[in-house]
Amino acid sequence: MAVEPVGRSRDRAGTTDVTDVVRRHLRDIPDFPEPGVVFKDFTPLLSDPTAMGAVVRDVADRWRGNAEVVAGIEARGFILGAAVAYELGVGFVPVRKAGKLPGPTHRTEYDLEYGSAAIEVHTDAFAAGERVLVLDDVLATGGTAAATCALLERTGAVVAGFEAVIELGFLHGRDRLHGRRLHTMLVV
Ligand code: AMP
């Protein structure tokens, strides 16, 4: 069977920019999870297999040959990350909130706007020098992404880059990832 080429930022038909696909499958939920926050809900994207397929292939095509494993950040990064890993034919590693992983872990704590959070990854998740693509749904302040990249490097992995579907540009999260290869599909 012939393999249909899928151009960068194009869907399967090759006519629609994937940024527009994301924009059309995104919902704003005001005041969630707390007053003043506009939650970017990508569940409409997940429920549309054509749109989701376009997004997954777009990410995979960008990193093919440059990522030996995909890491997804709990929880929505798991959904995208597992699909992209499958598309790339590589393994998937979950980066989880503290206390969720059953085996020995590395842990890092980082500051949130109010309070702090801790994330963990299994100590044996990566081979030394393995190149990892880190995925999440939203890049907001960048604290979670930056902490994840630093955590993975402590395990001996090499962070090939970070990618999110949506970037909240006004929070300047990409500044926290300065010097890293970074891609987001839709900046709002
Ligand atoms: P950050 O501020 O970049 O550390 O974001 C923390 C986490 O919360 C990320 O994993 C995002 O997926 C999620 N997040 C932050 N802000 C939003 C938002 N407005 N809508 C949806 N998810 C968000």
Side-chain angles (χ1 to χ4, degrees), residues 43-173:
T43 58
L45 177 69
L46 302 180
S47 63
D48 181 329
T50 304
M52 182 65 174
V55 166
V56 168
R57 282 190 300 275
D58 186 74
V59 179
D61 287 349
R62 206 169 359 267
W63 298 93
R64 206 179 297 281
N66 201 20
E68 298 165 289
V69 59
V70 173
I73 302 176
E74 186 168 359
R76 293 177 297 279
F78 293 175
I79 304 167
L80 185 68
V84 169
Y86 182 82
E87 178 74 17
L88 284 172
V90 303
F92 173 79
V93 169
V95 175
R96 298 214 62 178
K97 289 167 183 152
K100 300 284 190 183
L101 287 169
T105 58
H106 288 298
R107 166 196 292 231
T108 190
E109 290 190 17
Y110 61 100
D111 291 333
L112 296 173
E113 195 173 353
Y114 302 103
S116 65
I119 50 172
E120 295 179 341
V121 68
H122 276 144
T123 53
D124 61 354
F126 307 103
E130 208 166 23
R131 296 184 62 77
V132 189
L133 166 63
V134 183
L135 289 181
D136 205 355
D137 62 335
V138 174
L139 175 66
T141 66
T144 306
T148 299
C149 292
L151 177 67
L152 300 195
E153 285 167 347
R154 265 176 52 205
T155 72
V158 173
V159 174
F162 173 84
E163 172 134 0
V165 179
I166 305 136
E167 176 179 353
L168 306 182
F170 58 94
L171 292 175
H172 306 292

Side-chain angles (χ1 to χ4, degrees), residues 22-40:
V22 172
R23 188 182 289 114
R24 286 189 282 108
H25 291 82
L26 194 61
R27 275 196 308 192
D28 280 358
I29 311 285
D31 299 320
F32 184 89
E34 53 189 68
V37 175
V38 179
F39 190 87
K40 298 292 180 186

